């Protein structure tokens, strides 16, 4: 997961977001939701590590009853996942 500047087109920071490729992301206020495989991660865009990488504040593992998460929608205090 990388954060880029639109002003000068440079990478501001990056962090490994698991072993599976990211298949969906949504920014909702200060929270960035990303999914890869059967995991949903919540990132705090206002808190960063010393190398400007985002801080993961929560990880939700999805059970075997659902395939890989392909869509994320965060709205009204809930997160909806499309598997």
């Amino acid at each position: 997961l990388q954060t880029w500047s639109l002003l000068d087109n440079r990478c501001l920071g990056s962090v490994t977001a698991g072993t599976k490729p990211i298949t969906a992301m949504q920014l909702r206020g200060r929270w960035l939701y990303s999914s890869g495989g059967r995991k949903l991660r919540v990132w705090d865009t206002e808190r960063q590590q010393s190398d400007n990488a985002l801080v993961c504040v929560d990880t939700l593992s999805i059970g075997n009853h659902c395939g890989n998460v392909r869509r994320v929608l965060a709205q009204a205090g809930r997160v909806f996942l499309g598997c």
Side-chain angles (χ1 to χ4, degrees):
L1 181 63
Q2 297 178 331
T3 304
W4 288 82
S5 167
L6 295 177
L7 299 175
D8 57 9
N9 202 30
R10 68 183 174 94
C11 182
L12 300 174
S14 66
V15 64
T16 301
T19 58
K20 303 285 183 182
I22 293 175
T23 54
M25 291 192 303
Q26 184 183 15
L27 181 62
R28 199 74 172 162
R30 73 185 280 178
W31 309 111
L32 175 66
Y33 300 87
S34 72
S35 66
R38 292 187 177 137
K39 294 196 185 225
L40 173 77
R41 288 182 171 80
V42 182
W43 305 86
D44 187 342
T45 62
E46 294 182 6
R47 284 179 43 203
Q48 297 179 346
Q49 299 175 16
S50 60
D51 59 356
N52 287 329
L54 297 179
V55 174
C56 181
V57 294
D58 203 0
T59 301
L60 175 67
S61 295
I62 309 302
N64 291 333
H65 61 280
C66 182
N68 292 341
V69 178
R70 290 180 171 77
R71 300 285 184 269
V72 175
L73 174 64
Q75 190 169 326
R78 298 184 196 179
V79 177
F80 301 92
L81 304 177
C83 304

